[in-house]
Structures are given as structure tokens and as C-alpha cells.
Amino acid sequence: VQLQASGGGLVQAGGSLRLSCAASGLTFSTYNMGWFRQAPGNVREFVARSWSSGSTDHADFVKGRFTISRDNAKNTVYLQMNNLKPDDTATYYCAAAVDGNFWSTRGYWGRGTLVTVSS
């Protein structure tokens, strides 16, 4: 299984970015997909999740600003990030788990893409 995240970069506060995560080596439509982030010195934290059923979850601190979506035909999950804030600066990781438990031995992680938001 490979997860390749892309779309990070430098953006001013209030701006937008769309992250993509292309998955291979798995039956994408059956996997729950997630986005996490980790700022320097901080623990990795949950951002959003796209269940294989089609439903989604978002962390409270991104509700109304970030939206997770998926395209099963392209084996890709997206994270649309609007109204970015300096506190959103972090490396963003995508993850996949058929049972939704990304932290288990059956979970898979990509390498991450860096998002930097300037004030």
C-alpha cells in the first residue's frame, strides 16, 4: 500500500489549499481515509475522516473551514482547506484503514505534505 500526499505549500492567512492523497495497492473504496497533521513539537492530531460508507467527520477546530472528500474512481482523497490560519501550519498526513483504526497495525500512512500559513 502506498499513499502519496501532495498539494502543500506556503499560503497567506485567509488563503486556501487543496491537499490530495493518491492511494495504490488497496481496494480504495473499501477503506476509510483520514487526514492528520503534526506541527513541530506537537503530537499528531486528527483532522478529518472519510468513511467508506461516504460519511465524513471533521475535528472541531476545522469545521466550517476544511472539507474532506474522496473520488473512488481516482483512488484519491482530498482535503479542501479554506480560511487558513497560522495555527494550521503543520505537516499533513493521509492515512488509510479498512476498519477505521488508523493507529492499528492494519493502518497505512503516507509521508506527509507541509503546509505553512504566514500571518
Side-chain angles (χ1 to χ4, degrees):
V1 174
Q2 289 191 337
L3 302 175
Q4 182 63 53
S6 61
L10 175 63
V11 63
Q12 288 188 332
S16 298
L17 284 174
R18 188 176 81 154
L19 306 183
S20 300
C21 175
S24 60
L26 50 75
T27 304
F28 183 80
S29 62
T30 67
Y31 272 72
N32 302 297
M33 303 298 297
W35 285 101
F36 293 75
R37 70 184 188 185
Q38 187 169 16
N42 288 4
V43 298
R44 193 170 298 188
E45 61 183 357
F46 168 77
V47 175
R49 172 171 44 213
S50 171
W51 296 92
S52 59
S53 63
S55 61
T56 61
D57 300 312
H58 296 80
D60 286 345
F61 56 80
V62 302
K63 282 182 179 177
R65 299 190 300 124
F66 293 9
T67 304
I68 190 171
S69 63
R70 65 193 293 158
D71 185 337
N72 288 339
K74 295 183 178 180
N75 287 5
T76 301
V77 62
Y78 304 98
L79 185 68
Q80 178 66 44
M81 306 187 295
N82 299 327
N83 191 20
L84 282 159
K85 304 175 181 180
D87 285 349
D88 295 319
T89 295
T91 297
Y92 284 71
Y93 299 88
C94 66
V98 68
D99 60 1
N101 184 358
F102 302 106
W103 302 104
S104 76
T105 57
R106 298 177 66 188
Y108 300 97
W109 291 83
R111 287 193 174 184
T113 184
L114 178 63
V115 172
T116 304
V117 184
S118 63
S119 57

